[in-house]
Amino acid sequence: MSITEIKREASSLGDEDLIHLAAWFHHLARRKDPAYLKSLDDTFDAIDGGDQMTLDAYQKLSKELNQFGV
């Protein structure tokens, strides 16, 4: 698929799908960056170690993300 075809398809997407596609492309652009990979490892290690978020903190974060359309 060419860049032109990708752009044409992307322009027909709804907001939610477009945000998801942008996040995916952002991930692909950073997928070989050692600092990015380390941050992912650190996040997974924190989760495996039992790092948790309170319900209030989650609800606040969710509300902020929704305000930005994420």
Side-chain angles (χ1 to χ4, degrees), residues 3-58:
I3 295 296
T4 302
E5 291 169 317
I6 293 170
K7 286 180 178 180
R8 186 176 333 124
E9 290 296 320
S11 68
S12 68
L13 295 175
D15 290 344
E16 187 174 319
D17 287 334
L18 193 57
I19 289 169
H20 184 90
L21 182 61
W24 176 247
F25 280 141
H26 189 229
H27 162 73
L28 288 179
R30 302 182 319 161
R31 72 184 182 273
K32 295 181 182 179
D33 176 8
Y36 175 62
L37 295 175
K38 181 169 179 0
S39 75
L40 291 177
D41 286 341
D42 291 347
T43 299
F44 288 127
D45 289 345
I47 293 168
D48 285 343
D51 195 8
Q52 299 179 3
M53 178 181 278
T54 66
L55 178 59
D56 288 338
Y58 169 78

